[in-house]
Amino acid sequence: MPTTIKVEIKRQANPNAPAVTETFEVPYRPGMNITSLLGEIALNPVDISGKATTPVTYDSNCLEEICGSCAMLINGKARMACSALVDKLEQPIQLAPLSKFPVVRDLAVDRSVLFENLKTVKAWVPIDGTYDLGSGPRQFPQVQEQRYPLSNCISCCCCMEVCPQFNVSTNFVGAATIAQAKLFNMDPAGAVLAEDRLRALAGDGGIQECGFAQNCVVACPKELPLTEAISDMGRDVFIQQVKDLVSR
Ligand code: SF4
Ligand code: SF4
Ligand code: FES
């Protein structure tokens, strides 16, 4: 039974500071996850050589893989800190911020690009006021069954981190945005914006940038059917482009 856990953490004091690696040795407790390990360091922020340092900055909220905020690279893999159990990780455990998003500090990154991308595809159901709109249109159970898995997205950005096409040269919106466009296109009320969403996905950084490498579906902690969503939306975008061409 180990008595300590060794962890190497890539740290950065601010967005422009150089990255440094600090190593810590933390007392072992059964059942620890990466978030509790970081909490333990915060209680006693002293590195393995005895040098005092600052607590490690990271995002977290729900601690049950629902809020999507604690994504980071754990032993090189994009995953959620709150559901990564120390007992199942090789040591020394290596922690680093997601590599494709601007670092805010240490393990906290700015993932606002996903929210900007969701805005470009209007990933919402439009309403025209804050008054009671009633119960809304009914959905067939078959439609609900297809939509429910897509609604489980926690905006963690793991799918974008692992995507070879998500980079500055393509401006690719990424799998999560495409999946949310499908979710809202299948909503009886949200479908009113379906054409706008398809046209947005036909534009710069749109669905044509996907190389279909399928890294995203493997990395998604909520097991969204991302490749199916990309295929379906690719078909719908193509049909929309043909319709727009003939109606010119
Ligand atoms: S299928 Fe490949 S290229 Fe397309 S979004 Fe997923 S990881 Fe990226
Ligand atoms: S699709 Fe999956 S990996 Fe991508 S943001 Fe949503 S939950 Fe995270
Ligand atoms: S803290 Fe919410 S997903 Fe990890």
Side-chain angles (χ1 to χ4, degrees), residues 118-119 121-137 147 180-181 183-197:
L118 291 171
K119 281 193 231 166
V121 299
K122 302 187 179 174
W124 57 74
V125 172
I127 57 169
D128 61 357
T130 53
Y131 50 88
D132 184 1
L133 294 170
S135 55
R147 294 191 68 230
Q180 295 311 293
L183 173 71
F184 287 100
N185 275 11
M186 291 186 76
D187 183 277
V192 69
L193 297 175
E195 292 192 349
D196 291 358
R197 295 191 191 100

Side-chain angles (χ1 to χ4, degrees), residues 13-110:
N14 62 60
N16 303 314
V20 291
T21 299
E22 286 186 347
T23 307
F24 299 87
E25 206 152 38
V26 177
Y28 174 84
R29 273 188 286 112
M32 282 177 105
N33 59 18
I34 292 298
T35 322
S36 55
L37 183 70
L38 290 166
E40 205 65 49
I41 293 172
L43 288 175
N44 182 27
V46 172
D47 78 3
I48 197 166
S49 70
K51 188 170 90 85
T53 181
T54 49
V56 181
T57 300
Y58 59 98
D59 286 320
S60 81
N61 188 357
C62 69
L63 303 179
E64 53 179 355
E65 211 182 63
I66 292 293
C67 75
S69 66
C70 66
M72 61 182 70
L73 296 179
I74 301 172
N75 286 353
K77 220 174 136 194
R79 55 184 299 191
M80 313 312 292
C82 63
S83 57
L85 297 176
V86 164
D87 285 337
K88 298 202 168 159
L89 293 167
E90 243 177 61
Q91 288 193 37
I93 298 170
Q94 292 174 333
L95 304 182
L98 294 180
S99 68
K100 296 204 181 158
F101 301 83
V103 171
V104 177
R105 183 175 170 143
D106 296 339
L107 302 171
V109 296
D110 177 357

Side-chain angles (χ1 to χ4, degrees), residues 114 152-160 175-176 216 219-222 224 226:
L114 172 57
N152 285 331
C153 177
I154 56 173
S155 308
C156 64
C157 296
C158 289
C159 56
M160 296 153 83
C216 51
C220 178
K222 305 311 280 186
L224 264 73
L226 293 172

